[in-house]
Amino acid sequence: MGAPDMDAGKMARPRKWGWLILLSSTTTLVCCVIPIVLVSLGLGATVASLYSTVPFLSSLGLHKEWTFALTALVLLAAAWALFRPGRACPADPDLAKACQSADKWNRRLFFGSVALWGISFFTAYLLLPIALWLGVF
């Protein structure tokens, strides 16, 4: 099971998909997890400096529901592209090897992105309620 039949000139395309997936899930990490962790460590001034230096972060943070929803949609589209039935690598041995390598890296990037998204979701939406329920704060 690999990437769909394609000629040698299009072999780089699956990797671009993988990097797009990773980049989109990293936005949730940057908007929500890093600031929460830094503030928890007492580095609130660092977060304030980060937000003043990179102003679009505050937009991501203010609209985190949309950020997470759009990222989840990208991850769902990527899951469909990676795991849909009927995918096959070309019969040519060189193309098949490149296809299998691209497929392997795309799956690694996908699962890494899903892990980043899950950590970000947990930190942004579940960590505080759980900490309050446990009486940590």
Side-chain angles (χ1 to χ4, degrees):
M1 189 177 273
D5 287 331
M6 56 182 72
D7 61 15
K10 295 182 181 178
M11 285 310 297
R13 189 171 180 199
R15 288 185 186 238
K16 290 178 185 175
W17 225 145
W19 289 109
L20 173 68
I21 297 163
L22 185 63
L23 177 66
S24 68
S25 66
T26 303
T27 60
T28 60
L29 181 73
V30 171
C31 93
C32 305
V33 174
I34 292 174
I36 290 169
V37 169
L38 290 174
V39 168
S40 298
L41 294 173
L43 301 171
T46 304
V47 174
S49 173
L50 182 65
Y51 273 68
S52 66
T53 305
V54 188
F56 79 88
L57 288 179
S58 52
S59 294
L60 288 176
L62 290 173
H63 304 290
K64 70 181 179 181
E65 295 84 9
W66 285 103
T67 302
F68 277 93
L70 290 174
T71 304
L73 285 175
V74 169
L75 289 172
L76 286 172
W80 176 81
L82 286 172
F83 303 110
R84 72 182 184 272
R87 294 182 66 225
C89 284
D92 180 78
D94 293 332
L95 290 177
K97 185 177 179 180
C99 172
Q100 291 168 351
S101 175
D103 189 55
K104 179 175 69 173
W105 279 102
N106 280 342
R107 288 173 190 257
R108 287 177 182 170
L109 288 171
F110 173 75
F111 288 119
S113 298
V114 169
L116 282 176
W117 189 90
I119 292 167
S120 301
F121 185 85
F122 177 80
T123 305
Y125 290 104
L126 302 175
L127 185 60
L128 182 61
I130 290 171
L132 291 173
W133 181 68
L134 293 174
V136 174
F137 292 115

